[in-house]
Amino acid sequence: MPEDESREELSTVYDPSEVEARWYAFWEGRGYFHADPESDKPRFSQVIPPPNVTGVLHMGHALNNGLQDVIARRRLMQGYEVLWMPGTDHAGIATQNVVERQLEAEGTDRHELGREKFVERVWQWKEEKGGAIISQLKRLGCICDWERTRFTMDEGCSLAVRTVFKELYDAGLIYRGKYIINWCTRCHTALSDIEVEHEDKAGHLWHIRYPYADGSGFIVVATTRPETMLGDTAVAVNPSDSRFTDVAGRTVILPLVERRIPVINDRFVDPGFGTGAVKVTPAHDPNDFEIGRRHSLEQVNILNPEGTINENGGAYAGMDRYEARDAVVADLEARGLLEKIEDHQHAVGHCYRCGTEVEPYLSTQWFVKMEPLARPAIEAVRDGRTTFTPERWTRIYYEWMENIRDWCISRQLWWGHQIPVWYCDDCGEQVVEIEAPKACPCGSANLRQDPDVLDTWFSSGLWPFSTMGWPERTRTLAEFYPTSVLTTAHDIIFFWVARMMMLGLRAMGDVPFREVFVTALVRDYEGKKMSKSSGNVIDPIDVIEVYGTDALRFTLASIAVPGRDINLSEERIAGNRNFVNKIWNAARLVTMNLEGFEPGADVPGDSLELADRWIMSRLSDVIERADAGMEVFNFSMAGKALYRFFWGDFCDWYLELAKPRLYRGGPEERRAAQWVSWRVLECALRLLHPYMPFVTEELWQRLPGAGESIMLASWPSAGDFARDPGAAMEMELIQEVTVGMRSARSEHGIPPGAKIDAVLVCAPGAREVLERQSSYVESLSGLAGIAFSDKPPGEGYGMRVVVEGAEAYLSYESGVDAAGEIDRLARRLAKVEVELERCVAKLASAGFVSKAPPEVVEKEREKERELREKRGKLNAQIAALEGPGGA
RNA sequence: GGGCGUUUAGCUCAGCGGGAGAGCGCUGCCUUCACACGGCAGAGGUCACUGGUUCAAAUCCAGUAACGCCCACCA
């Protein structure tokens, strides 16, 4: 940064907007984000979960990518060669929908445009508008290796897709067939099973009479979708059902359609449900499809792709499916064939992209055989090659993998990877190739490529290696695959994580990632899902503009407890904006007092005071805690430790104790305080950097002796600072006495500015410490001076108070209220009494003394002694105040 | 139907076998030379309920309830 800039006086309020863009450009310009496969550092790699090109940054992204950035920045500082692979996903349906809506607004549609023009149009859209999210990720501070940015439909990823397809096809793991699939009548495409979201809905169970052909009454079936009866080709009963012993083999007349259909036996039928007799619609229900196959039933498709009844629906042809339902029910009722209608709760499937009710639909599609791919993917987790955090996702992964069903991968869309299969119009051969073949093996050039495209998740499933150059064996692949960590929200474990495992193991022969870190979902402050319709969306970019990126990142990271969803509120972000500001101002204090300071030379150990030794000891603790938290993805634990240390220990205590020396200390004292405050601040900034990249860089650069960038600085180690248990104990005493003094002052209304004297009476051990550090207590408690004595002072002193560890006598008369002090002491006494009672009871229990570990018992005894002493002092004080001489 | 998670201060949440914690909010005092996006002090809780294990349970086990989520082809 330019010289004059760093000399500039710091404002009392941190302004993130000015700082963030400047540093991001600096880092990116220096190439810090770029991973070098030739370096000799240890490797760390991760791939971004590619956001949809249509996407805009939401809180889920901010959390997910913010945490990945925390991980990446820490690894970078730890000396790893870090590769964070970025890119976007072509998001088949979502993107096609966006452009289709555009066309609609222009009064046209894709069919009018034609496939080639339409796809061109989508590409054009992608170039212009797609990937806005990339620049948003930069505002978040993400250190992705942008030079490597990929797109699931770029040339390399497309080649990987075709290569994997052919390999699986040649191995017999991809097949084509006519099955019941989930059909979205709005998107006009098949969906895989996991792309269907089930929702319980209040519906009805219609009981319908199907008359026997011989006129001898009827059999009653129950259904939740009466319109599908138009496609019925049988009625099934369970052979063990005594109510229906003789009906199999008979014929019924399908009402409205007047088709003769058989009654059959099938063990699938549950005698306990409905009427025990099931209408069988092989073309519109997966179970019925299976029954139909077992009994060679005809499959009558009654629906058009857009969800209207087709010509097989007779009089109902042309009606919308729901319209047809009403009409069918009305007609049945008119004919006296509707026996009854029951209320019935049942799950209805909806398209995960557009929310339309999905139809089970018979059509010819491509599938991947999953079981052979799932087995190694289960093995890899079982033998620990990949682990999940939190651990409980392991079981959920197993359960899904073990019950996996074949994956429908063909989509009737235009935007996506067109299936690399060509059909010969002459010999009917099906040719699968990586590059478009010129001719069929039969010599014919009349080849037509399959019009369908692949499920978007097919290409996302290859992401960890397709982005590194596969199928070419690149250096990047050799150096950075498998990746170290995959960070993702739990809603795409099945869509994405599971598929990457299966396909990675298949194509690369090794797992795609060593660890999976499953993040929480971000919800609003009431725990509701954020959604546009609820109006409870907090836009990360808005937050960044108001509070700054660092405040947002710190907030998200410090409430990210593994395994629990996050309820985000703006107040919380504001609170952490204040923390960022606190850091800013602490740094101001330190830097404003560094004149004449040379960072080079060490400070002699004997010029360090108690506070100096204490804060460095605390820093050593917090380094350990914060680092341990980050190591196990407990970013909340680490964040809290950092917050407490910086605000609580460093600002509230250490800097207050350093001020007298910084402002008016002798040269040596001043230098020691400068040195320690500088070192501790510098180290704390490095520790905080992964969470708050911008403010830490800005402040770090202003410190003497700073290097090129905090990003290149080393990660702190607990061993950099000495542990000092003695200093910790002494400081604890100082803090207790200080809090006691301040409490007494505050509750008696002694003005904060009133400099008063105090006499302390305390045990020899405490006295030694307090006497040695009396200046600490004086400055922290706003006292003019402290004297020490073995006995209470004479009549000149107005107030006697008890503080933890000592009795204090304050020389302040006016306004002192004996009743108030008695009340204050009585409240403390009550607390002590309760604690003591529990303590005594515990020690009186024979079981405790004999069975609890000795150190626990000893600790309890020590506690009892302390409590008794405290109680004694409090009682004596109260008595003194109540007595004739007291008040 | 199966599974999982949550239930701790007014709110949002940590803690997950040995002294009930944080942030925000609230009350009082303080515009003191880093910060009012601040300082100091304080109020506030039978840790959902019932039973069990243990010398000891917010913490482990079992069950109950409420809320939330995921999976599932009983029409």
Side-chain angles (χ1 to χ4, degrees):
Chain A
M1 286 295 103
E3 275 293 292
D4 54 329
E5 198 119 29
S6 60
R7 293 268 177 269
E8 213 174 276
E9 182 77 359
L10 295 183
S11 140
T12 63
V13 174
Y14 171 59
D15 174 17
S17 62
E18 186 270 329
V19 168
E20 293 176 4
R22 184 155 46 85
W23 285 119
Y24 197 87
F26 174 82
W27 297 327
E28 198 177 10
R30 297 264 173 134
Y32 294 166
F33 308 163
H34 188 59
D36 176 12
E38 312 288 334
S39 90
D40 52 8
K41 296 175 177 177
R43 300 324 189 205
F44 175 85
S45 58
Q46 60 185 359
V47 294
I48 201 170
N52 292 350
V53 274
T54 54
V56 288
L57 194 78
H58 57 61
M59 273 303 165
H61 294 122
L63 171 70
N64 194 250
N65 292 292
L67 294 182
Q68 285 174 77
D69 199 54
V70 171
I71 294 168
R73 284 177 183 271
R74 172 165 166 268
R75 289 296 185 212
L76 194 71
M77 293 175 78
Q78 284 177 324
Y80 285 79
E81 188 65 35
V82 172
L83 169 58
W84 184 4
M85 182 70 76
T88 50
D89 192 291
H90 68 280
I93 299 178
T95 311
Q96 175 155 335
N97 284 350
V98 167
V99 177
E100 283 196 72
R101 273 197 295 275
Q102 268 190 358
L103 294 179
E104 199 183 323
E106 293 166 19
T108 177
D109 62 38
R110 68 181 163 112
H111 299 285
E112 205 169 309
L113 213 57
R115 181 165 187 156
E116 204 173 317
K117 282 260 158 45
F118 177 76
V119 170
E120 240 173 65
R121 181 73 193 254
V122 183
W123 274 108
Q124 190 191 329
W125 181 90
K126 188 251 169 192
E127 296 311 325
E128 286 168 10
K129 302 255 176 64
I133 198 163
I134 296 286
S135 55
Q136 294 181 313
L137 288 170
K138 292 182 177 181
R139 289 201 67 183
L140 240 199
C142 295
I143 60 166
C144 300
D145 189 349
W146 301 113
E147 293 169 46
R148 298 179 189 266
T149 303
R150 298 295 299 269
F151 178 55
T152 52
M153 264 174 66
D154 66 25
E155 216 172 295
C157 288
S158 300
L159 175 64
V161 163
R162 297 194 304 271
T163 308
V164 168
F165 186 96
K166 180 168 168 54
E167 196 276 320
L168 292 175
Y169 180 85
D170 290 346
L173 294 176
I174 284 185
Y175 62 93
R176 187 171 185 240
K178 197 172 180 188
Y179 295 93
I180 294 273
I181 46 81
N182 308 290
W183 183 263
C184 177
T185 56
R186 202 213 66 87
C187 301
H188 286 200
T189 181
L191 299 170
S192 67
D193 294 331
I194 55 175
E195 284 172 311
V196 177
E197 287 175 349
H198 293 274
E199 200 186 318
D200 258 3
K201 225 175 127 176
H204 301 286
L205 198 55
W206 283 273
H207 292 242
I208 306 169
R209 295 169 177 167
Y210 283 17
Y212 286 114
D214 57 13
S216 61
F218 42 77
I219 188 166
V220 181
V221 299
T223 180
T224 54
R225 294 189 302 153
E227 73 283 6
T228 61
M229 69 172 292
L230 302 173
D232 283 2
T233 53
V235 169
V237 296
N238 192 305
S240 67
D241 193 334
S242 56
R243 292 170 296 178
F244 300 113
T245 42
D246 304 320
V247 300
R250 297 183 67 179
T251 301
V252 296
I253 305 291
L254 182 62
L256 310 181
V257 183
E258 309 303 328
R259 181 159 59 226
R260 295 171 70 86
I261 57 174
V263 180
I264 56 172
N265 272 329
D266 196 290
R267 301 205 161 269
F268 168 79
V269 179
D270 175 5
F273 188 87
T275 62
V278 184
K279 59 188 272 314
V280 182
T281 322
H284 294 285
D285 183 279
N287 297 312
D288 294 6
F289 175 78
E290 293 300 330
I291 295 176
R293 293 239 284 200
R294 286 196 285 273
H295 300 273
S296 308
L297 298 176
E298 203 190 333
Q299 300 166 333
V300 178
N301 177 14
I302 59 156
L303 284 178
N304 291 312
E306 60 276 3
T308 55
I309 307 295
N310 67 15
E311 67 282 1
N312 290 328
Y316 305 92
M319 287 186 189
D320 172 79
R321 52 186 165 155
Y322 301 117
E323 205 183 322
R325 175 175 301 176
D326 294 342
V328 163
V329 170
D331 291 348
L332 287 170
E333 177 140 46
R335 284 166 213 218
L337 294 173
L338 192 61
E339 185 151 303
K340 64 171 170 177
I341 306 173
E342 288 177 329
D343 286 338
H344 183 66
Q345 192 91 346
H346 65 139
V348 178
H350 296 81
C351 171
Y352 85 133
R353 281 293 173 219
C354 73
T356 303
E357 267 188 42
V358 160
E359 283 295 327
Y361 194 63
L362 187 63
S363 73
T364 301
Q365 303 287 345
W366 286 93
F367 298 86
V368 177
K369 269 192 194 147
M370 296 299 262
E371 199 274 335
L373 295 172
R375 251 180 295 128
I378 292 168
E379 263 321 293
V381 174
R382 206 150 263 159
D383 65 26
R385 271 175 288 162
T386 295
T387 57
F388 285 84
T389 302
E391 203 254 329
R392 69 185 160 87
W393 292 104
T394 314
R395 234 186 80 203
I396 296 168
Y397 170 87
Y398 285 147
E399 269 164 28
W400 190 73
M401 283 287 190
E402 281 159 4
N403 298 303
I404 201 161
R405 290 184 299 163
D406 287 357
W407 175 17
C408 174
I409 50 169
S410 44
R411 297 289 177 274
Q412 288 63 54
L413 303 172
W414 286 352
W415 176 243
H417 301 97
Q418 196 169 346
I419 293 179
V421 176
W422 287 262
Y423 306 103
C424 176
D425 282 340
D426 292 318
C427 72
E429 180 73 15
Q430 182 171 292
V431 184
V432 176
E433 287 299 341
I434 292 171
E435 302 301 340
K438 299 255 185 308
C440 176
C442 78
S444 163
N446 288 330
L447 290 173
R448 272 179 306 108
Q449 186 171 4
D450 192 301
D452 290 353
V453 300
L454 288 167
D455 182 359
T456 298
W457 296 99
F458 192 95
S459 55
S460 338
L462 317 181
W463 191 243
F465 49 96
S466 65
T467 52
M468 293 191 195
W470 191 89
E472 204 188 308
R473 312 301 296 192
T474 61
R475 183 75 194 268
T476 300
L477 211 46
E479 296 293 329
F480 293 103
Y481 188 97
T483 62
S484 315
V485 183
L486 180 85
T487 303
T488 182
H490 58 69
D491 56 347
I492 54 172
I493 289 183
F494 303 144
F495 280 105
W496 194 47
V497 178
R499 267 93 174 252
M500 282 191 287
M501 279 294 276
M502 294 188 277
L503 296 170
L505 283 161
R506 181 82 192 177
M508 293 295 297
D510 199 354
V511 294
F513 24 74
R514 297 288 179 214
E515 289 184 89
V516 178
F517 169 43
V518 182
T519 68
L521 293 176
V522 183
R523 302 173 185 284
D524 77 356
Y525 70 101
E526 291 176 304
K528 291 195 190 118
K529 205 167 173 174
M530 285 192 187
S531 70
K532 278 180 201 152
S533 54
S534 314
N536 60 352
V537 173
I538 306 179
D539 183 338
I541 297 300
D542 292 347
V543 168
I544 285 172
E545 263 152 26
V546 178
Y547 301 104
T549 298
D550 293 327
L552 173 63
R553 288 175 56 125
F554 189 81
T555 303
L556 290 171
S558 61
I559 52 185
V561 176
R564 188 165 162 148
D565 285 348
I566 289 173
N567 296 353
L568 186 69
S569 71
E570 199 169 326
E571 287 72 29
R572 193 136 186 181
I573 301 165
N576 285 319
R577 182 268 320 267
N578 296 352
F579 179 41
V580 173
N581 200 239
K582 189 76 180 177
I583 295 169
W584 176 259
N585 277 291
R588 281 186 71 217
L589 172 65
V590 172
T591 51
M592 287 188 312
N593 287 287
L594 283 179
E595 306 98 60
F597 175 71
E598 291 297 331
D602 259 13
V603 164
D606 56 15
S607 68
L608 295 181
E609 290 189 358
L610 170 64
D612 300 328
R613 286 181 281 117
W614 169 76
I615 195 66
M616 290 193 284
S617 180
R618 286 286 302 125
L619 179 55
S620 178
D621 282 341
V622 80
I623 292 170
E624 190 168 294
R625 285 178 61 85
D627 187 62
M630 292 186 212
E631 185 66 29
V632 299
F633 306 110
N634 195 333
F635 298 102
S636 164
M637 189 179 108
K640 276 180 212 280
L642 291 169
Y643 186 101
R644 263 190 124 99
F645 170 79
F646 200 95
W647 201 320
D649 296 330
F650 186 57
C651 294
D652 291 344
W653 293 98
Y654 181 74
L655 289 178
E656 291 306 320
L657 287 172
K659 274 177 186 176
R661 284 184 286 161
L662 290 173
Y663 293 157
R664 45 188 178 273
E668 199 176 310
E669 282 181 329
R670 187 170 146 82
R671 176 160 167 76
Q674 284 176 325
W675 187 77
V676 174
S677 57
W678 165 72
R679 276 203 70 195
V680 171
L681 173 65
E682 190 276 338
C683 179
L685 290 175
R686 279 185 285 137
L687 264 184
L688 284 161
H689 178 257
Y691 284 70
M692 305 184 171
F694 296 107
V695 74
T696 52
E697 177 77 292
E698 174 71 17
L699 294 172
W700 193 82
Q701 296 270 352
R702 291 169 184 270
L703 293 178
E708 182 178 311
S709 165
I710 195 169
M711 281 186 68
L712 307 182
S714 65
W715 183 244
S717 153
D720 297 346
F721 296 89
R723 291 287 164 93
D724 192 334
M729 280 176 64
E730 292 188 7
M731 265 305 288
E732 205 178 317
L733 177 64
I734 307 275
Q735 288 175 323
E736 280 180 347
V737 171
T738 301
V739 168
M741 293 284 199
R742 297 202 289 216
S743 170
R745 288 186 65 129
S746 172
E747 297 207 6
H748 288 290
I750 301 174
K755 293 282 179 192
I756 58 177
D757 289 311
V759 174
L760 282 180
V761 180
C762 48
R767 173 166 175 177
E768 190 277 319
V769 174
L770 292 169
E771 205 160 2
R772 180 154 42 82
Q773 306 298 157
S774 62
S775 68
Y776 282 6
V777 180
E778 283 166 11
S779 75
L780 292 170
S781 310
L783 298 173
I786 298 180
F788 289 85
S789 170
D790 293 331
K791 54 182 195 304
E795 283 303 307
Y797 273 73
M799 190 192 311
R800 312 170 197 197
V801 299
V802 172
V803 296
E804 314 293 321
E807 259 174 84
Y809 297 83
L810 301 180
S811 66
Y812 191 77
E813 291 281 6
S814 71
V816 168
D817 171 11
E821 178 64 3
I822 289 169
D823 184 56
R824 190 179 79 89
L825 297 179
R827 267 183 285 143
R828 297 209 188 285
L829 181 62
K831 282 182 186 169
V832 170
E833 294 277 18
V834 170
E835 256 189 276
L836 184 59
E837 202 173 312
R838 203 166 41 193
C839 197
V840 168
K842 207 170 188 179
L843 285 165
S845 141
F848 176 72
V849 179
S850 62
K851 293 192 179 170
E855 62 273 20
V856 173
V857 177
E858 188 39 50
K859 209 173 141 192
E860 203 64 27
R861 291 214 166 100
E862 176 62 26
K863 186 176 152 191
E864 190 201 2
R865 278 193 289 276
E866 281 173 14
L867 287 169
R868 282 189 190 285
E869 196 184 317
K870 265 185 206 172
R871 185 177 66 171
K873 280 184 187 166
L874 285 163
N875 277 325
Q877 281 303 308
I878 291 169
L881 287 163
E882 280 172 341

